[in-house]
């Protein structure tokens, strides 16, 4: 799958976002090592802290389906610059993505930034940090 095809899937799922409060639609598309693509859109709630971002929706769908080996992700929103994931998403991504995995951050104007996981959240908190 090409980078553009992955971005196109993120753009398409973005239209399904449930965002009655912020009106800020985000889409994400995640490729697994088996070649399957999982998509996610942000889903808001009146109790704002329980809102779930597009990136986490895609990751959680894949994990619920038994996929845990991830290869590449695209994230898109209608922003001026390529959309950056929030801190919560970065932490979840760092738990499941290899440090050298490419993440394509983009917007609806085709401005794209490709970044590795390790550069998106350097010195992230890891499972091994909880081991004695």
């Amino acid at each position: 799958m090409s980078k553009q095809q992955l971005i196109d899937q993120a753009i398409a799922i973005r239209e399904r976002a449930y965002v009655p409060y912020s009106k800020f639609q985000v889409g994400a598309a995640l490729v697994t090592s088996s070649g399957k693509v999982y998509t996610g859109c942000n889903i808001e709630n009146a109790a704002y802290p329980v809102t779930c971002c597009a990136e986490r929706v895609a990751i959680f769908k894949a994990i619920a389906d038994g996929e845990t080996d991830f290869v590449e992700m695209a994230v898109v929103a209608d922003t001026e610059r390529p959309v950056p994931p929030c801190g919560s998403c970065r932490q979840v991504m760092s738990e499941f993505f290899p440090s050298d995995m490419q993440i394509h951050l983009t917007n609806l104007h085709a401005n794209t930034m490709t970044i590795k996981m390790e550069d998106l959240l350097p010195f992230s908190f890891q499972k091994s940090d909880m081991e004695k």
Side-chain angles (χ1 to χ4, degrees), residues 22 26 30 34 40 44 50 56 58 62 69 71 87 89 100-102 131:
S22 72
V26 181
L30 174 63
S34 69
E44 294 180 345
V50 296
R56 286 182 281 145
D69 191 15
V71 177
C89 286
D100 63 345
M101 184 173 134
Q102 291 191 337
E131 297 170 355

Side-chain angles (χ1 to χ4, degrees), residues 14 16-19 22 24-27 40-44 51-55 57:
R14 178 185 164 274
R16 294 187 184 171
Y18 177 76
V19 291
S22 72
F24 185 71
Q25 297 172 299
V26 181
C41 57
N42 51 326
I43 302 166
E44 294 180 345
T51 292
C52 197
C53 299
E55 299 93 325
V57 169

